[in-house]
Amino acid sequence: MRNVTIAALVGVAGLCVGGVAHADVAVDALGALRGRYPGVQVQEGPMGSARILYGRPMNDGASPAQAANDFVNAHKGVFGNDGATLGVREHGQGNVGALHNFVYAQTMDGLRVEHAFVSVVVRTMAAAGGPDPLVHAVVMAQGVVAPTPAGGFALDVLTAEDAQNVVRAAGYEYLKDWYDADLVVYFDPEHPEVPAVRAWKFHAADINAERPRAFTFFVDASTGALVHVRNDIHHADITGSVVGLVTPPNRPDVPTNLPVQQPIGEVKVEVVGSNPLVFAFTERDGSFTIPWTGSDPVTLRVSAGGGRWNAVTNNNGAALSVTQGATPGTPVTVNLLPTSTATTQSQVNALVFANETRNFIRDRANIPTLDVALATNVNEGSTCNAFYQQGPPDSIHFFASGGGCVNTAYASVVNHEYGHFIVNERGLGQGAFGEGYADVMSVMINDDPIIGREFGTAAMFPPVGAIRHVDGSGAEVTPNYPCNGAVHYCGQVLGNIVWNIRNNMNARYGAPMGLDLTRDLIGDWSVIMTGGEVPNTGDNSAHAGTATQMLTVDDIDGNISNGTPNFAQIRPAFIARNINVPCVDARVEIQPQATIPAVITTGSQPLTVPVTISAGTASVISGTAAVKWRAAGSVDPFQSIPMTPAGGPGVYTAHFPTLACGQAIQYYYSVQTSEQYQQTTELTLPSHTCGDADSAFSTQATDASTSFSETFEVDTGAWTRTIAGGGSWVRTNFSGAYVSTGANPTTDTTPSPGSFAWTTGNDFISTNANSGDLDGTSILTSPAYDLSNAAGAIISYQRWVYMNNDGAGDEFRAEVSVDNGATWHVGELLVDTAGAAWVQGGFSLGALGLTPSATTRVRFVGVDVLVGNQTTFEAGIDDVTFATLTCNTGPTCDSIDFNGDTLFPDTADIGDFLTVFGGGACPTGTCGDIDFNNDGLFPDTDDITALLRVFAGGNC
């Protein structure tokens, strides 16, 4: 296992006096950074309050610490305050010491700034020449820094006691335990425009089984305003199985899951009566050695409350403790639990699985602050729940059985609650992120996507009595990003992503190697994770920054732009939850030299496409180039048709299966590289980057006829739209003169005298590209069309799509519904610009596995994720056509490759056909027969007519 260390350091990255930060500071600093490091990628959070820099190596240094400090001193203005005072808070190492994370805390007036931080990731790698064998380069930086208040802070007028009295008067007088207050600077990263204030920070709690309550308060030291209340009780309505000493995985302590005897590691074994106390902790395999002199018999004691990494307290009866006589020099077995009851079993389970969770992370992300005995409470006087209390002191709590629920001290529940403790020790916000990360601990440790198996009755927790199913197998629909529901529900976004990464790793490497690699990935990621979408908070358990972080720790050369070893396993898991992951430069480039139309109207002709494959950072494995295909809408494995070398190096011919009329297939191109990285490229939907294997379609027919068409020249009012935050779909008249901004259309596509089209904004009198463009999400929806007789219907349209925020969440979607809008299916998706031009788009309903109906609708969706003038999004739609595929049931003609030289369409085939038709010899020796139309009549001039018609793209 890889071992990572995070240690508290005393260091200073910037010693300058804090100055007033302005809105343009970050913009200017970012421009300077981009000029110095071309190609660096940027992700911004809400209102520009958080920024992640990644994608290429930036500055380097003689050591990881020097590289990080130099970067922070030079570029901290990127995060909003070029005069910020920053000091190193922790230093983490991962990937066998090749990965370093330096986390800097901000101070103002000598006080710690809440929520402010900068995280700098440095990778150590082999140098490309030069005197030093290694280079230490910054490959990622992320954070949020508080601006210095204009004019400085107001004077403090409240004492700590005054602040606590303010809170008591605000309705918290029922809290029993009040703790000392400290002065801090409170800063809200979700609202960076609100100036930071000096505040008293303190904790108060009332811990009881029925309704535990604990809060951290922040009171403005100058005004007495209660600026923030943090709930420090984090419940988790989850359950799981028990592993270790008594209960087998992965189910709770129930009669159908009989206990088994297993070693208990990392528990204290003490010599009774020794003074000072002599003891040792068992190793993970349960063995122990206590240094001792003398040969007289002694008495040993072991208790569930003596865990090395957690101290169990039984809240319903005596604590579990046993004694055992031993003779020095003779091995002895101490049985902590020879027989079990519900109250004793829960104590051992909590001991074993809290230790287990700590070790899971400690083996991969060795965080010294986890090296404490976490207070662990079991058999508390309530039912159907468990929770983590954010301290001081930190603690986890588990309830007795009852109310239709089992005793909650078992594997996945304990793993989950300890996961909250890890989040807290990293200084991150809980919320949906805390719930998601805690679920990930259970999923990874137990290799089980079900959280809380048999937690309660099926009626209470449908469908099978478990709390959550992060694989989507439960009754609850798996949420997508962004998620605005309850924290436990939204936490499933992260849990589902990690489970899918595990599945993708197993598919590539097999089990258990795939699982081990996923566990290592999560361990390394735990070193640099920054919580929710706004760093250090808990909103949105997973987001684009999460993907960037995981790819950064998966990377091996400091440049994720050329791919990472498991890019193809990580990216799809995020895409499935609606989190866009920018494509990377291919390690090998596959470039088709011809475009296959959505509908092929040349009968059942075989189809070939010339393809060029160019090696990038990896070499192509000979004989692996292939076309992968399967029937549209199928979930069967893709079939493979090898490509044929055709000429020079990297030149191939891709052969497609011969399709029956109306048949639709799903296809992509594939090749294996020396790095065992499968690069795939699809044709008809190039906006689906990185080789999504389900995004390219082709269908074949003998003809296509129009069922309905819409040019938008007449305003029927039948097409409807939604309004976005700024700009929207509008029916635009292009009969006047329109100024081109470089982003917007200036004409429609309907032949003259047509002049109308739908666009996302029509304020084109300005040369500002953001004037009148879309901000937010707007939808243009058609009326219902009767396509019930349009078997194999296809939808085509002219589209204009321009966006300059590629890969950051902006997108254009064309969608279709066959149930009058109840459900929608994506026919075409663009996530990067199609250029400032009108382009024909379209898709086949058959290719989507849909049957046209009498209530078929189409809609066009524009999404601009950054509202305002930060980015430009322009789209247009015109000349929408609903067509019907027609299959000719008449004669079937031969292939137009008459001479068999594999080149077609090729005029040599016509000449060679006429030569043979006239009685001459076949010039190639591989010609077909002259009964081209297969009507049984030859020589027959109808064969010549059929050949010329099919050659021109017509029907047989």
Side-chain angles (χ1 to χ4, degrees), residues 657-714:
T658 300
L659 304 179
C661 180
Q663 181 183 4
I665 66 168
Q666 183 180 9
Y667 70 91
Y668 63 96
Y669 304 102
S670 173
V671 69
Q672 293 286 330
T673 74
S674 58
E675 298 177 359
Q676 297 299 306
Y677 173 85
Q678 178 170 289
Q679 174 68 29
T680 59
T681 299
E682 67 292 290
L683 267 179
T684 59
L685 295 181
S687 62
H688 286 252
T689 55
C690 305
D692 297 84
D694 60 352
S695 56
F697 298 96
S698 176
T699 187
Q700 183 157 313
T702 54
D703 204 354
S705 60
T706 300
S707 298
F708 299 96
S709 63
E710 178 57 74
T711 63
F712 305 118
E713 296 306 310
V714 177

Side-chain angles (χ1 to χ4, degrees), residues 10 81 168 197 217 240 308 336 347 452 465 474 501 538 545 596 656 684 690 693 719 748 760 762 793 838 865 930:
V10 178
N81 188 345
R168 287 187 174 95
V197 298
F217 301 97
R308 186 171 191 175
L336 177 61
Q347 294 177 66
I501 292 175
I596 301 176
F656 285 79
T684 59
C690 305
W719 286 69
D748 72 331
T760 53
N762 64 347
W838 286 102
V865 297
I930 59 174

Side-chain angles (χ1 to χ4, degrees), residues 258-306:
L258 296 177
V260 296
Q261 196 70 46
Q262 293 183 0
I264 299 180
E266 298 177 309
V267 65
K268 182 186 290 185
V269 182
E270 61 185 47
V271 179
V272 177
S274 58
N275 186 18
L277 182 67
V278 178
F279 67 92
F281 288 103
T282 60
E283 301 295 334
R284 294 186 188 181
D285 65 0
S287 64
F288 66 90
T289 300
I290 300 176
W292 189 254
T293 58
S295 57
D296 293 338
V298 296
T299 300
L300 304 179
R301 178 186 293 118
V302 179
S303 68

Side-chain angles (χ1 to χ4, degrees), residues 12 131 237 250 291 337 456 506 521 582 760 762 802 826 831 844 921:
V12 176
D237 302 326
N250 189 26
L337 193 62
N506 277 358
L521 175 72
T760 53
N762 64 347
Y802 176 89
V826 178
V831 295
S844 162

